Amino acid sequence: MTPAPPDLPTVEGAVEVLRRGGLVAFPTETVYGLGADASNEAAVARIFAVKGRPPHHPLIVHLPSAEALEAWARGDLAAAHRLAERFWPGPLTLVLRRQPWVSHRVTGGAETVALRVPAHPLALELLRRFGGGIAAPSANRFGSVSPTTAQHVRQSLGDAVDLILDGGPCPVGVESTILDLSGSTPAVLRPGGVPREELEAVLGHALLVPARPNVPSPGQHPRHYSPTATLLLVERESLPWEAIRLSRAGRRVGVLLPPGSPPLPGEVHAAVRLPADLAEYARQLYALLIHLDELGCQVILATLPPEEGLGAAIADRLRRAAAGEAPL
Ligand code: TXA
Ligand code: MG
């Protein structure tokens, strides 16, 4: 007789883990999150320990629905509700003034709190059954590429997580857009799954995209979302020559090849062709970077996509992944 397969983690099991202060990795529509009970300080502290994340960097609290907004945020929430109605569940995080009881462990000491209702059915079921807020950063070690499959989470965090819910690959693939509504002027702190243009259409005015936010944010660190290989941004015209030059200099070169570019010669270690559709590109971006790392690439060459729609989030992540890399 073949032995029975081990029980797959269930949402009920995940709720129990959260209730006793444990960590659950769960799928969202953007990337996998590393979740803890947002009202349990010790549980939230474990997130920072497991990720290796500096303690003053705030976490996003995931909520089961927009009805929970008032429990976590205060002040005039009219704009928040308007945006929530249009974009929640979905890849939009709203930064609002926090309720006084919300722990500084979650807010990183800030007077604001970041809130979102994720669109993935497993995440929503988890949140509904748990009933409270789940604090969750992306389920990767600090500074590295965010996971878009359960397998990525296992590779990155392994046994440090108490339970991993596997919901398949994340359909959006880049993190949520972070919109700060806590000040006098709304500002996009991080481009993401909801394009800025769509937010502007609902708000009826153009949005500020500050070069530097007021609150320290890991997603705002110059170097972030980085693969192990050195990521270099190059102009599209010089991509083939750079790939060949670096290969001849003895490097294992990986290339994110823009749609329509001619194929590269075989001396280039690995090339993956990018989809023309930006939503599809966003969906695949992190998995492709992880794949090129796994193929042993030492250098990854990429070009910036057009910065409209989801292209803004892709370009942002590529820039941050490449930040601080000197030309080779
Ligand atoms: O799509 C996402 O947002 C994913 C999934 C799991 O929901 N989460 C995510 O979390 O990307 P994380 O921790 O990797 O990035 C959260 C970002 C950070 O840049 C953090 O600084 C910012 O949200 N943030 C959190 N609270 C904030 C606050 N009160 N003010 C300003 N930024 C805040
Ligand atoms: Mg992250």
Side-chain angles (χ1 to χ4, degrees):
M1 251 177 51
T2 50
D7 287 341
L8 287 176
T10 60
V11 170
E12 263 156 68
V15 168
E16 270 171 42
V17 170
L18 290 175
R19 292 232 163 97
R20 54 165 204 261
L23 299 184
V24 169
F26 63 99
T28 80
E29 77 281 33
T30 58
V31 300
Y32 275 72
L34 177 64
D37 178 353
S39 310
N40 178 335
E41 297 225 347
V44 172
R46 268 193 71 202
I47 292 180
F48 288 87
V50 162
K51 270 192 73 105
R53 175 164 169 140
H56 56 281
H57 291 149
L59 301 174
I60 296 172
V61 177
H62 298 68
L63 302 174
S65 81
E67 280 165 34
L69 264 175
E70 274 75 11
W72 292 83
R74 60 180 162 163
D76 180 1
L77 299 178
H81 276 290
R82 203 145 34 96
L83 290 162
E85 194 156 311
R86 169 72 177 77
F87 296 107
W88 282 358
L92 174 66
T93 295
L94 298 175
V95 173
L96 299 160
R97 289 174 58 214
R98 70 178 176 99
Q99 285 289 8
W101 69 268
V102 180
S103 163
H104 276 310
R105 287 243 185 231
V106 170
T107 66
E111 284 311 308
T112 54
V113 63
L115 302 169
R116 93 173 184 103
V117 178
H120 198 287
L122 264 185
L124 280 176
E125 199 191 331
L126 179 66
L127 283 158
R128 284 180 188 143
R129 290 208 197 182
F130 179 62
I134 299 179
S138 49
N140 55 284
R141 301 218 182 260
F142 184 67
S144 63
V145 179
S146 301
T148 54
T149 66
Q151 180 61 20
H152 293 161
V153 179
R154 267 179 228 115
Q155 283 163 357
S156 173
L157 299 178
D159 292 340
V161 192
D162 299 307
L163 185 147
I164 301 175
L165 284 176
D166 189 343
C170 301
V172 174
V174 289
E175 295 83 349
S176 59
T177 303
I178 302 179
L179 181 66
D180 185 356
L181 294 177
S182 69
S184 48
T185 319
V188 176
L189 300 186
R190 178 177 74 182
V194 174
R196 193 192 74 230
E197 299 88 324
E198 289 187 29
L199 296 175
E200 290 174 338
V202 169
L203 290 170
H205 59 79
L207 277 170
L208 205 69
V209 186
R212 213 190 295 158
N214 303 325
V215 180
S217 308
Q220 300 282 355
H221 270 212
R223 192 180 150 107
H224 213 72
Y225 310 102
S226 298
T228 308
T230 299
L231 194 130
L232 296 177
L233 292 176
V234 293
E235 294 300 327
R236 193 185 163 124
E237 305 75 61
S238 46
L239 181 74
W241 311 115
E242 275 299 291
I244 292 164
R245 184 180 74 78
L246 290 166
S247 301
R248 289 190 182 157
R251 317 253 175 177
R252 287 193 299 278
V253 177
V255 179
L256 296 179
L257 204 56
S261 321
L264 295 170
E267 65 197 294
V268 176
H269 187 67
V272 286
R273 189 168 291 282
L274 295 169
D277 177 57
L278 289 173
E280 189 55 41
Y281 182 177
R283 193 173 300 141
Q284 294 181 19
L285 173 65
Y286 292 147
L288 290 174
L289 292 175
I290 291 169
H291 175 65
L292 291 175
D293 263 346
E294 284 169 355
L295 291 177
C297 296
Q298 296 161 311
V299 184
I300 297 174
L301 297 181
T303 59
L304 291 176
E307 295 194 43
E308 59 208 28
L310 282 173
I314 296 170
D316 173 78
R317 303 308 186 270
L318 286 173
R319 280 203 192 91
R320 290 182 202 284
E325 304 286 9
L328 294 176

